[in-house]
Amino acid sequence: KNMYSGGENVQMNGDTPHDGGHGGGGHGDCEELQRTGRFCGGLIKDIKRKAPFFASDFYDALNIQALSAILFIYLATVTNAITFGGLLGDATDNMQVGLM
């Protein structure tokens, strides 16, 4: 069953459930957005609320699909840099100034 079909009250990213097709949703008056009187008080409350989920952000990156995407993006970037460096070396007879 598709979780985006709207059959259930699925709350994503801390969003409040929609009120039956009358628009709505949004964050409303959550306590992270209220004035606390302290410097960065709402930011501190938000970090405390999300702290239990920080470890899962790193564990989820160990998924095989995420690792393959990371490897693909890395190789796509490195091959372009190597090609550009080779073309620049050919065009300047290897006389380009490097900061090594």
Side-chain angles (χ1 to χ4, degrees), residues 73-91 94 96 100:
I73 292 171
Y74 172 75
L75 291 176
T77 304
V78 168
T79 54
N80 288 333
I82 292 171
T83 303
F84 177 73
L87 291 174
L88 182 64
D90 289 344
N94 293 327
Q96 70 269 20
M100 293 185 199

Side-chain angles (χ1 to χ4, degrees), residues 27-92:
H27 296 286
D29 291 330
C30 63
E31 63 183 69
E32 289 86 9
L33 297 177
Q34 294 176 353
R35 188 171 296 274
T36 61
R38 292 178 32 194
F39 181 71
C40 296
L43 178 64
I44 293 169
K45 284 185 178 181
D46 189 45
I47 290 173
K48 286 180 181 178
R49 181 177 61 94
K50 293 179 181 179
F53 305 107
F54 285 156
S56 72
D57 292 340
F58 294 101
Y59 294 135
D60 292 343
L62 297 177
N63 184 347
I64 190 67
Q65 287 183 322
L67 290 175
S68 64
I70 291 168
L71 181 66
F72 174 76
I73 292 171
Y74 172 75
L75 291 176
T77 304
V78 168
T79 54
N80 288 333
I82 292 171
T83 303
F84 177 73
L87 291 174
L88 182 64
D90 289 344
T92 61

